[in-house]
Amino acid sequence: MRFTSGWMTLLFCFCCQQLLAQKLTIRSPNNKIVVGLHSIDNGGWILKSSYHVNGKLTEVIPEVKLGLKRSDQDFSSGLRFLKNSKTLPISENYSSPHGKSSSRSNSANEVTIAFENQAKAKINLIVRAYNDGFTFRYEFPGKGGSYIVEDELTSYTIPKDTKRWMEKWNPANEGLYAAMSDDKVQKQEWCYPALFQTRDTTCWYLLHEADLNRTYCGTKLSNTADQDKYKLTFPNPADGRGQGSSKPTITLPWKSPWRVIIMGSLQDIVASTLVDDVSAPSTVKNTDWIKPGLVSWNYWSSNHGTKDYKIVTDFADLAAEMNWPYTLLDWEWDAMSNGGNVEDAAKYILSKGVKPLIWYNSGGDHTWVSSTPKDRMLNHENRVAEFTKLKKMGFVGVKIDFFESEKQDMIKYYLDILEDAAKFEMMVYFHGCLVPRGWSRTYPHLMTYEGVRGAEWYNNGPEFTFSAPEHNTILPFTRNVVGAMDYTPVTFTNSQFPHITSYGHELALGILFESGLQHMADRPEGYRELPDFVKSFLKTVPPAWDETRLLDGYPGKDVTIARRKGKTWYVAGINAEGREKRKMLKLPFLEKGIKYKVNLIADGQHDKKFSVRSLEVDNSASVEVKLLRRGGFVATLTPTN
């Protein structure tokens, strides 16, 4: 092809414009992830991201638009680049008492970019490139003055042919994920986190936010204005029964939450702790009292179970039999009868060597739910009084429900609860709530969140019976990536609506789904009637992990995950599809030169039967496993020496 001199001049000018448009580049420590800052028309700025692996370059997000609108000034256009800092290496190691891994590394390269708007007001953009993604946040460096943030202009441009798994926005974050691409992409408001697969299929990314605190509100994603652009959007004014402002008020100096893009292979996504890594360090100095564990829970099998003292004591007996450290008194404990009240129940539970947990309505005008006890968590004075009583009675944790909003006043409420609970060494878990934003690093006594369509939905209608198998294989790649998830798994009997998952599938959920307090939801006879080898497994399965690895899987089809506790590996896999599968379980993650004993519990002849076998392997071995339609398996791998 021949170029005329005119074409050569145009090409030269275009290349110069491109060079001028790109101001700087930030690379991850391993150079796989590259983030570029570019100028666009009217003094606007965007980020572009790419992924480099095995000599291949993938454009991941072609445009992340930047900007904020404050009540006094606009910081979305007309921004003049002032300077950028030198690259600052971020290097920090920390530990977590529960979660997908116990030892964490917060390692990144950080650059701060300074801008000013047309009125000479300053705004900074802080960008970090990690080996498993990148993050950015806004900063107003000025001092003094309070302002309303009218809008955040951050948006992600996603090409139509990018496959995505997204959950339609709902305040409880309890929807189903829909897979979409091309002409099936819907225009909606969407929950975090959202999963995307790039067109070359090797690179994936997950959109989320972290380190949300009292200075801002939670956001969500919306492509209602432009199908290809997912804009960060403030809470709906009607959320929380219209209580509180949907627009946050900030006081300078101020930093926004981190905007988080976890990026890489599916294994990188599943193993990532990036949401915690960028969040504020722990405010709790002594964490010895924070004890993850399994919990017996009566609500799934008997919605009004806590009203009945005899049901409560039966679940306490179950916890003692199964070596589970906790049992939960759910709603209606203040109306308990049939042999005892809440004080009697606490004494009985403690006499069994089990520790009690207890439920509360979050109270206040933000929820329509009138279930009592209500308002006891609503303000500092009430919380102090209630925690004082609970401590004397032997309770060690509280479940607080029905928040129904992510407005700034509700974020403050969440964090006030956590700070007061820490003073009484009281573990906390939230229900009817937002999805994790990294708070379990800052407040490690926050053990788990709901924010998921879990097994409770077998009580809400027939739909979950048929959607659960596929849904269960999407959650390890989406919701459970960003933090603990109280799905309330491992149910073998039926509640109000039946399962079509196999017993092997249900057993696997106790490993696949990570939660610092893992609520085992079946009725006592559901566990007591299991074969002894299954009961033995459930008596020893850990609630927290030292390491997590994805071995195989694809959202909506199947998933196999390995988690290590000490020197023992626990592996679990499930099949969502309506056909039998055979999997070759490869074991290169095992320590070289060591023999391991494998105890494998898999699907049996039909979906209510198990098969069991033991064998010896090393890291070069492969183990064939049969999964029934909608089936599953678990395995423990223990060093023989």
Side-chain angles (χ1 to χ4, degrees):
M1 184 177 184
R2 294 175 58 196
F3 288 98
T4 65
S5 59
W7 275 108
M8 291 294 289
T9 302
L10 284 171
L11 181 62
F12 175 77
C13 292
F14 174 78
C15 292
C16 288
Q17 288 173 352
Q18 290 299 102
L19 289 171
L20 288 170
Q22 181 162 340
K23 269 295 181 184
L24 60 92
T25 299
I26 307 103
R27 295 179 180 271
S28 62
N30 64 5
N31 289 314
K32 287 185 177 181
I33 292 173
V34 179
V35 183
L37 176 71
H38 298 253
S39 62
I40 56 175
D41 294 340
N42 302 319
W45 295 86
I46 63 170
L47 297 173
K48 292 175 176 280
S49 62
S50 57
Y51 181 65
H52 301 244
V53 64
N54 298 328
K56 185 177 182 181
L57 169 66
T58 299
E59 182 182 63
V60 181
I61 305 179
E63 179 177 309
V64 182
K65 186 178 179 182
L66 304 169
L68 292 166
K69 287 185 179 180
R70 222 167 62 184
S71 53
D72 63 326
Q73 298 187 57
D74 190 324
F75 295 87
S76 62
S77 62
L79 292 178
R80 187 168 74 91
F81 178 95
L82 296 178
K83 62 180 180 179
N84 61 269
S85 70
K86 292 182 179 179
T87 301
L88 173 67
I90 304 296
S91 182
E92 176 190 24
N93 295 315
Y94 69 99
S95 60
S96 176
H98 54 88
K100 68 176 77 172
S101 59
S102 55
S103 297
R104 313 282 182 88
S105 175
N106 180 22
S107 300
N109 290 323
E110 178 183 287
V111 174
T112 300
I113 305 113
F115 301 94
E116 67 176 14
N117 69 3
Q118 293 171 332
K120 308 295 185 183
K122 306 294 191 293
I123 185 172
N124 295 337
L125 179 72
I126 304 170
V127 183
R128 288 183 180 178
Y130 285 83
N131 290 342
D132 58 348
F134 72 95
T135 68
F136 64 94
R137 75 191 320 173
Y138 303 102
E139 177 183 40
F140 288 125
K143 294 183 179 179
S146 292
Y147 308 94
I148 295 171
V149 179
E150 296 289 348
D151 198 7
E152 181 169 339
L153 281 298
T154 306
S155 70
Y156 304 93
T157 297
I158 312 294
K160 284 188 176 65
D161 58 357
T162 301
K163 194 161 186 181
R164 64 209 70 190
W165 287 260
M166 305 188 75
E167 177 188 342
K168 182 180 177 182
W169 166 253
N170 62 98
N173 296 279
E174 293 184 36
L176 295 169
Y177 276 83
M180 299 171 286
S181 64
D182 298 313
D183 59 350
K184 294 184 180 179
V185 173
Q186 302 170 29
K187 297 174 73 172
Q188 293 280 359
E189 291 184 333
W190 304 97
C191 296
Y192 288 121
L195 177 67
F196 300 85
Q197 182 184 25
T198 57
R199 71 183 70 177
D200 73 2
T201 72
T202 61
C203 181
W204 299 70
Y205 59 99
L206 194 76
L207 300 182
H208 197 45
E209 67 180 6
D211 204 27
L212 173 61
N213 58 36
R214 293 178 176 85
T215 67
Y216 214 58
C217 60
T219 66
K220 55 184 179 294
L221 299 168
S222 175
N223 68 336
T224 55
D226 186 331
Q227 183 173 316
D228 298 334
K229 296 182 186 297
Y230 291 90
K231 180 186 174 298
L232 269 63
T233 308
F234 293 153
N236 298 335
D239 290 349
R241 294 183 64 193
Q243 302 296 306
S245 173
S246 61
K247 297 177 180 179
T249 298
I250 64 172
T251 301
L252 275 51
W254 171 85
K255 291 179 182 178
S256 75
W258 287 103
R259 306 302 168 212
V260 176
I261 302 90
I262 302 172
M263 185 187 301
S265 66
L266 268 184
Q267 154 61 16
D268 294 327
I269 301 289
V270 170
S272 176
T273 57
L274 187 53
V275 171
D276 287 347
D277 295 344
V278 297
S279 296
S282 175
T283 61
V284 181
K285 293 182 179 179
N286 173 27
T287 60
D288 292 345
W289 54 276
I290 300 169
K291 303 290 188 184
L294 274 59
V295 188
S296 66
W297 183 55
N298 66 44
Y299 177 83
W300 183 83
S301 58
S302 179
N303 291 173
H304 301 281
T306 308
K307 286 179 71 172
D308 190 318
Y309 176 78
K310 288 186 169 53
I311 291 177
V312 169
T313 57
D314 197 18
F315 276 82
D317 292 342
L318 172 67
E321 293 164 20
M322 298 297 292
N323 297 328
W324 300 339
Y326 305 113
T327 191
L328 171 67
L329 306 188
D330 215 297
W331 74 308
E332 297 182 315
W333 57 262
D334 55 338
M336 194 184 303
S337 60
N338 194 26
N341 58 23
V342 66
E343 289 84 3
D344 299 319
K347 290 176 183 176
Y348 183 88
I349 293 165
L350 291 166
S351 76
K352 291 294 193 176
V354 177
K355 295 179 181 179
L357 310 169
I358 193 165
W359 175 95
Y360 286 88
N361 187 338
S362 63
D365 293 334
H366 62 268
T367 176
W368 291 100
V369 180
S370 59
S371 301
T372 58
K374 192 174 182 180
D375 302 336
R376 298 191 193 179
M377 293 291 139
L378 196 57
N379 58 52
H380 172 71
E381 292 74 21
N382 289 359
R383 288 191 293 271
V384 167
E386 198 67 12
F387 288 150
T388 300
K389 292 178 186 176
L390 293 177
K391 197 76 176 174
K392 290 180 180 178
M393 293 169 63
F395 286 91
V396 297
V398 290
K399 171 183 176 179
I400 305 175
D401 212 341
F402 306 124
F403 289 90
E404 302 180 27
S405 164
E406 297 183 13
K407 296 175 183 176
Q408 187 176 20
D409 64 335
M410 194 57 62
I411 302 306
K412 180 180 183 299
Y413 182 31
Y414 279 115
L415 301 184
D416 287 348
I417 289 171
L418 289 169
E419 291 184 358
D420 283 344
K423 295 169 187 173
F424 288 84
E425 298 189 346
M426 192 71 60
M427 294 184 293
V428 176
Y429 53 115
F430 294 130
H431 262 233
C433 61
L434 46 57
V435 297
R437 299 301 208 278
W439 293 346
S440 286
R441 180 181 180 192
T442 313
Y443 306 99
H445 57 298
L446 174 53
M447 308 303 290
T448 191
Y449 313 64
E450 189 180 27
V452 66
R453 181 166 294 202
E456 181 180 307
W457 279 77
Y458 283 111
N459 289 336
N460 296 344
E463 168 271 322
F464 198 60
T465 293
F466 301 98
S467 61
E470 179 179 338
H471 180 62
N472 293 347
T473 62
I474 295 173
L475 293 176
F477 303 106
T478 53
R479 165 64 182 83
N480 212 183
V481 170
V482 301
M485 182 178 78
D486 194 29
Y487 178 101
T488 63
V490 192
T491 53
F492 303 104
T493 66
N494 289 324
S495 186
Q496 295 183 41
F497 296 91
H499 299 78
I500 56 171
T501 52
S502 77
Y503 277 21
H505 183 118
E506 289 297 314
L507 186 62
L509 300 184
I511 294 175
L512 287 176
F513 297 161
E514 181 271 312
S515 181
L517 290 174
Q518 187 77 283
H519 289 75
M520 309 300 275
D522 208 347
R523 48 183 56 84
E525 56 268 31
Y527 298 113
R528 289 170 177 152
E529 294 172 3
L530 292 169
D532 287 343
F533 59 85
V534 179
K535 284 191 282 190
S536 294
F537 171 81
L538 288 174
K539 290 177 180 180
T540 58
V541 64
W545 307 98
D546 294 322
E547 185 179 353
T548 291
R549 295 192 184 199
L550 173 70
L551 301 186
D552 188 20
Y554 190 86
K557 295 186 180 296
D558 54 52
V559 58
T560 306
I561 286 178
R563 300 190 192 268
R564 180 177 60 82
K565 185 67 174 178
K567 295 185 177 182
T568 298
W569 284 92
Y570 295 75
V571 181
I574 57 172
N575 174 20
E577 298 185 285
R579 60 183 179 87
E580 183 179 299
K581 292 184 179 181
R582 290 185 180 270
K583 287 279 186 182
M584 291 304 297
L585 182 61
K586 297 181 179 180
L587 308 171
F589 56 89
L590 297 178
E591 188 176 348
K592 290 183 179 179
I594 301 293
K595 295 287 187 180
Y596 287 78
K597 180 182 179 182
V598 179
N599 287 322
L600 176 68
I601 304 173
D603 290 321
Q605 292 180 334
H606 56 77
D607 61 4
K608 291 181 172 56
K609 287 287 187 181
F610 295 100
S611 65
V612 60
R613 58 187 164 121
S614 296
L615 60 157
E616 189 175 76
V617 300
D618 59 21
N619 76 327
S620 66
S622 296
V623 179
E624 186 178 59
V625 185
K626 183 185 79 172
L627 293 84
L628 295 177
R629 58 180 183 174
R630 301 179 293 275
F633 74 93
V634 298
T636 58
L637 298 93
T638 307
T640 58
N641 56 347

